[in-house]
Amino acid sequence: MLSIRPFLNRLGRWPAFRQDLIRHDVPARDGDWFIRSRVQQFARYPWLLADGLRGLISLALMITAPTAALALTGVSLLVLMAGELVLRRTMATPLANPQSRLSQIQAFLLARGVAWALIVSMMVRYAGTDIGVTVALCVASLLFDLLFTLALPIAGVAAASLVIIGLSSGLVATPGTHAGIVLAMAALSIVALHYALFHLYNLFATRQLGARQLSVANDTIRSLLTQYDEHGADALVEVDREGLLVRPSQRLCELLGRTADELYGSPLSALFEAGLDRSALLGSVSRRQQFRHMLVPLRIRGERHWWSISGCPVFDADDQEEGFRCFVHDVTEQRVNEERIRIMAMRDNLTGLVNRAVFTERLGEVLARSSLEAMAGVLFIDLDSFKLVNDTYGHAAGDTVLIEAARRLEGLLGVRMVAARLGGDEFAVLAWNVTDSADMEVLGNAIVAELSRPVVRDDAILPCGASVGIALAPEHGRTGETVLRAADLALYEAKSRGRAISVMFHPQLLTELQERRELEMSLRVALERGELVMWYQPLLDIGTRRTVGYEALIRWNHPTRGIIEPSNFIPLAEEAGLIGAIGEWALREALAEAATWHDDLSIAVNVSPAQMRGDAVLKQVVSTLAATGVAPERLELEITETLLMEDCEMHLRTLHRLRALGVRIALDDFGTGYSSLNYLRRFPFDKLKVDRSFVSDIVEETDSGAIVETVLNLARKFDMKTTAEGIESEAQLAKLDAMGCSQAQGFLFDKPLPAEGIPPEHRKSLQRLQIA
């Protein structure tokens, strides 16, 4: 296909070409539409009929012309008509590419211009005495075609120019014609045609695009109105200068559930609830101020709704105020959802109590107005048995305990109190306008008593219990941070005293906290500095009074405080995450020492619950036994019921694997936990150790004696050895011997000794193996 675009682009760079008349900003979405409009404008003209009639007239005027001229004219007309037929059929097909079709038409116009230029030139040359009629016919045809090529101005001017050139060449060749005048007139005609056609195109394009914009705008408005009528939740509210409703719309009547007659003439204020929101709305209307999205509540059929209102004053044609027009949107559902989300953000999903963020915010507000006469009280509450319930009965049971604890807690609160769940099994109570600190202590004791009652669920009795820490403001702090820290310290003290009690904060707790932090910092470097040492307490066979082994007891030889007992630093090591390294060191140290003893002496090592997480302790035992050469049967690991309460199933699997190696497992402090008998059923311990709390009273207290005797009988039933701890008198030993206890340990025989204090007869070598 012939492309004239490069030629037209070069021509368009000429300033006098007036491209400003034929260039219009057409939106991208309307580009194809505009091209189709130009194509349709061209297609409206009956080119085939017009060219056919003009061709016949041309041949009639040339009847006296030479045969060659007639033949050339006839062939040109036939080719032109054939081209027009092809183009017509092409345009009858669906328009897939408008720009390509436009290029086809432009090429056709140029080809047609060439054909008519040739025909016109021949007509004028051989018209004879009819030359005047011929020229008139050519000019009339040019003007007529001009009207139907206005949609393609450049191609139209080019085609018309070719015809003018053909006409001029014919006139110049005619005898008696002044060539200069003909050429000048031809040039002026071409310029005139150029400006005329470009202006016509400008009018055409401007009208088409304007009509298009108006049509799109009308379609948009019509669509919006249709959607508004069919699906709109909005309504128009109009009032006159006195603020009375006029022309109540059908949608407004539907929203309010009232008729137009009922609403007409009623004041705007009567629609809404009294309050600051309505006052703000009426104020804007009275001041004739434009506003947007003002939220105002109202009652419809007894239910509260919320309308978002935008409004502006209305003026008539003379710019006189007529009233006010408001556009309202019912946002009740959105408002309800926002309120629900706000409440959910403030509340704990499980218990319904306020959450930590709200509690902290309320605490700040209360502290700002607290004084010695109107104190603020903070109680921190921790459920003592929650982990046991979760591990034993499952998380659903744990949720039941949390919900019941929250319910009981709220039942104890006064009007100036609020309870919160801070997370996990931690709760808090905030009280304000407290006049007597004793009231907080009474409340703390009441919480402990109320939460100590078991929770019944599906015929299962779930243990509960709570520890409480109390702090007061401004006595114990004036900021939220200091008061919360004071309550937390009091709660820590309650737990360290054995739980299930309420403790009021006192300054000594801060001193103890500082000491604990200093001790922790020292403990972090104690292992590296070699300050930890291992002592050994003999374990005797009661029947023979012969030493059968030793229990390894860790000590901290502090550079300034001296020897520190494990009960004073092992809990601290567990909290600080140091127990793993310390426990591994203790195992290596104890086995390295036991390797120097005779093979009939056992070594007992305590294992902390923190050491049992994962399979680290299993790897440590295997590697250390291999390194020291100590037989697994000589190693006795002592665990407490606390260990089994934490992830019991995992710990039991580890204990079974240790026992499969030949290592013996002893249950320490038997009888002081929650479910001792259950653990005996689930794991075959090698030994039970009777807690010193029972041994100390065995002679005087019949209850302690009965408990010890029951434990010893139970151990015989399970084929377990027994060890009694803390024996300090012959009377206690005799009593235990009579009851059938296997082994004994206590100050009656010997205190814990450093390694160098072990009798030489117990050693097979004085050279001790160093374990890296």
Side-chain angles (χ1 to χ4, degrees):
M1 177 64 66
L2 179 64
S3 177
I4 63 170
R5 187 172 298 277
F7 166 74
L8 297 179
N9 287 337
R10 287 193 296 271
L11 184 62
R13 296 191 188 101
W14 186 30
F17 195 64
R18 293 301 305 273
Q19 282 208 38
D20 58 303
L21 293 174
I22 60 172
R23 284 190 174 177
H24 291 79
D25 292 329
V26 181
R29 66 174 185 274
D30 292 337
D32 285 350
W33 166 86
F34 186 58
I35 293 175
R36 285 188 174 91
S37 298
R38 296 170 65 185
V39 171
Q40 291 169 1
Q41 177 67 20
F42 169 83
R44 290 192 181 99
Y45 183 55
W47 297 99
L48 192 61
L49 178 61
D51 284 346
L53 291 174
R54 276 180 288 188
L56 292 175
I57 295 173
S58 300
L59 289 173
L61 290 173
M62 295 174 59
I63 194 66
T64 59
T67 303
L70 285 174
L72 182 60
T73 302
V75 171
S76 298
L77 285 172
L78 288 175
V79 172
L80 180 60
M81 300 292 285
E84 290 180 1
L85 282 171
V86 172
L87 181 63
R88 181 66 61 183
R89 289 184 179 181
T90 302
M91 293 181 64
T93 60
L95 190 59
N97 188 341
Q99 185 61 53
S100 176
R101 182 63 53 79
L102 194 64
S103 298
Q104 293 174 356
I105 296 173
Q106 289 171 335
F108 165 75
L109 287 176
L110 289 177
R112 180 178 176 276
V114 171
W116 274 109
L118 179 62
I119 295 171
V120 167
S121 176
M122 299 293 293
M123 286 173 60
V124 173
R125 184 172 181 180
Y126 298 107
T129 57
D130 296 325
I131 189 171
V133 176
T134 301
V135 172
L137 174 64
C138 292
V139 173
S141 297
L142 281 173
L143 293 176
F144 192 70
D145 290 350
L146 190 66
L147 297 176
F148 291 93
T149 58
L150 61 88
L152 298 98
I154 297 177
V157 169
S161 297
L162 289 172
V163 176
I164 292 175
I165 293 171
L167 175 64
S168 301
S169 64
L171 289 174
V172 169
T174 302
T177 305
H178 195 286
I181 295 175
V182 170
L183 294 177
M185 291 299 297
L188 288 175
S189 298
I190 291 174
V191 172
L193 282 171
H194 161 256
Y195 280 97
L197 195 55
F198 272 36
H199 279 86
L200 285 173
Y201 174 80
N202 185 58
L203 293 174
F204 163 79
T206 302
R207 179 179 177 184
Q208 288 290 104
L209 292 173
R212 176 69 171 179
Q213 290 179 348
L214 182 60
S215 175
V216 170
N218 289 336
D219 288 344
T220 302
I221 294 172
R222 191 179 302 108
S223 175
L224 289 174
L225 290 175
T226 301
Q227 292 183 19
Y228 174 78
D229 289 340
E230 294 179 357
H231 310 292
D234 303 334
L236 200 62
V237 178
E238 296 179 281
V239 296
D240 58 18
R241 284 176 291 184
E242 284 72 36
L244 303 179
L245 291 175
V246 294
R247 295 181 293 278
S249 66
Q250 181 180 354
R251 184 59 185 156
L252 179 64
C253 296
E254 291 174 357
L255 286 177
L256 295 174
R258 299 166 66 181
T259 65
D261 293 338
E262 292 174 332
L263 293 174
Y264 184 82
S266 59
L268 179 65
S269 59
L271 298 181
F272 304 102
E273 288 185 358
L276 296 177
D277 297 322
R278 186 179 74 171
S279 299
L281 170 66
L282 298 179
S284 296
V285 172
S286 63
R287 291 190 297 271
R288 300 303 186 256
Q289 290 180 338
Q290 183 173 343
F291 59 88
R292 292 175 59 82
H293 306 307
M294 188 176 291
L295 205 61
V296 187
L298 70 160
R299 293 277 174 180
I300 300 177
R301 304 180 188 91
E303 296 182 1
R304 197 180 206 205
H305 286 246
W306 290 87
W307 279 3
S308 174
I309 307 177
S310 301
C312 61
V314 180
F315 300 91
D316 60 17
D318 298 326
D319 205 26
Q320 298 297 313
E321 180 191 327
E322 280 190 338
F324 212 86
R325 180 178 295 136
C326 300
F327 191 70
V328 305
H329 180 65
D330 194 319
V331 294
T332 305
E333 184 176 356
Q334 175 185 340
R335 178 80 177 187
V336 170
N337 290 336
E338 290 174 353
E339 183 67 15
R340 185 181 299 114
I341 292 172
R342 187 184 68 84
I343 293 174
M344 288 174 63
M346 296 173 59
R347 296 280 176 176
D348 172 59
N349 291 335
L350 180 65
T351 63
L353 300 180
V354 300
N355 58 25
R356 180 186 290 272
V358 176
F359 179 84
T360 305
E361 182 180 350
R362 295 288 297 276
L363 175 62
E365 296 171 356
V366 170
L367 291 180
R369 57 177 185 270
S370 65
S371 64
L372 293 175
E373 293 75 27
M375 296 180 290
V378 174
L379 294 85
F380 268 9
I381 303 137
D382 189 80
L383 301 185
D384 294 334
S385 306
F386 181 70
K387 183 167 179 56
L388 172 65
V389 172
N390 253 355
D391 293 343
T392 306
Y393 299 97
H395 291 288
D399 289 347
T400 299
V401 170
L402 291 174
I403 294 170
E404 179 61 18
R407 187 190 66 79
R408 295 180 186 180
L409 194 59
E410 283 194 302
L412 297 172
L413 302 186
V415 294
R416 296 187 180 89
M417 301 177 188
V418 64
R421 182 188 176 203
L422 304 183
D425 61 340
E426 297 178 350
F427 295 84
V429 171
L430 172 63
W432 53 94
N433 292 342
V434 178
T435 57
D436 190 347
S437 60
D439 293 340
M440 294 295 96
E441 293 182 295
V442 170
L443 176 60
N445 293 330
I447 291 173
V448 170
E450 184 67 15
L451 297 187
S452 294
R453 295 190 294 109
V455 177
V456 179
R457 173 184 179 268
D458 297 335
D459 299 328
I461 300 177
L462 308 176
C464 196
S467 301
V468 180
I470 308 172
L472 297 171
E475 181 180 353
H476 300 146
R478 294 183 177 274
T479 66
E481 182 180 357
T482 55
V483 175
L484 293 177
R485 183 179 64 170
D488 193 35
L489 284 174
L491 177 60
Y492 184 89
E493 177 70 10
K495 291 180 180 179
S496 65
R497 290 188 193 177
R499 303 176 182 269
I501 61 171
S502 173
V503 174
M504 175 72 76
F505 173 81
H506 53 85
Q508 181 62 25
L509 294 179
L510 278 177
T511 304
E512 294 173 359
L513 173 64
Q514 184 62 33
E515 292 178 355
R516 193 160 61 247
R517 286 178 176 171
E518 292 175 358
L519 199 63
E520 179 185 331
M521 296 304 296
S522 299
L523 183 59
R524 290 186 179 276
V525 296
L527 196 59
E528 299 175 6
R529 294 176 178 177
E531 296 173 3
L532 297 181
V533 295
M534 195 65 77
W535 287 12
Y536 304 89
Q537 187 171 23
L539 180 64
L540 281 77
D541 181 272
I542 291 182
T544 64
R545 297 289 183 100
R546 185 177 67 85
T547 300
V548 294
Y550 289 89
E551 180 180 0
L553 301 171
I554 193 170
R555 296 290 186 269
W556 182 6
N557 189 10
H558 194 278
T560 58
R561 301 187 184 192
I563 297 296
I564 301 178
E565 296 290 325
S567 59
N568 293 327
F569 70 86
I570 290 298
L572 188 62
E574 291 178 341
E575 291 179 11
L578 303 173
I579 194 61
I582 293 175
E584 185 177 1
W585 172 86
L587 183 64
R588 291 201 313 267
E589 185 73 11
L591 287 177
E593 177 62 31
T596 68
W597 305 341
H598 293 297
D599 292 341
D600 59 347
L601 293 176
S602 64
I603 179 69
V605 181
N606 290 281
V607 177
S608 165
Q611 291 177 257
M612 291 289 291
R613 298 189 183 112
D615 56 358
V617 70
L618 180 65
K619 295 178 181 177
Q620 293 168 13
V621 168
V622 172
S623 62
T624 309
L625 286 174
T628 59
V630 175
E633 295 77 13
R634 294 178 61 195
L635 175 60
E636 186 177 280
L637 297 179
E638 295 186 2
I639 67 169
T640 62
E641 292 178 68
T642 306
L643 183 147
L644 295 175
M645 289 167 59
E646 299 180 3
D647 204 347
C648 178
E649 294 300 329
M650 183 189 74
H651 293 328
L652 285 176
R653 286 194 298 269
T654 302
L655 292 176
H656 276 292
R657 296 175 69 182
L658 287 168
R659 198 165 186 268
L661 294 174
V663 177
R664 292 181 292 172
I665 309 297
L667 182 58
D668 200 6
D669 300 334
F670 181 74
T672 60
Y674 287 99
S675 307
S676 303
L677 295 178
N678 185 46
Y679 298 140
L680 291 182
R681 179 179 61 83
R682 301 182 66 184
F683 184 81
F685 291 95
D686 297 286
K687 180 189 287 187
L688 297 183
K689 297 191 72 173
V690 181
D691 188 72
R692 66 182 65 248
S693 61
F694 299 120
V695 174
S696 62
D697 301 338
I698 194 171
V699 177
E700 297 82 5
E701 296 288 337
T702 57
D703 289 345
S704 294
I707 292 174
V708 173
E709 187 172 14
T710 301
V711 171
L712 297 176
N713 289 333
L714 187 64
R716 281 194 292 273
K717 294 287 185 182
F718 282 94
D719 195 23
M720 299 177 188
K721 290 184 178 181
T722 52
T723 298
E725 299 179 300
I727 301 175
E728 299 180 356
S729 68
E730 289 289 346
Q732 292 173 342
L733 181 63
K735 188 83 170 179
L736 290 166
D737 189 16
M739 291 180 178
C741 186
S742 308
Q743 298 173 347
Q745 193 177 359
F747 287 175
L748 176 63
F749 313 108
D750 217 337
K751 295 180 179 180
L753 305 169
E756 56 268 22
I758 294 177
E761 60 268 21
H762 289 168
R763 297 185 181 276
K764 60 183 177 182
S765 170
L766 295 179
Q767 296 298 320
R768 199 187 134 186
L769 184 65
Q770 296 296 323
I771 305 297

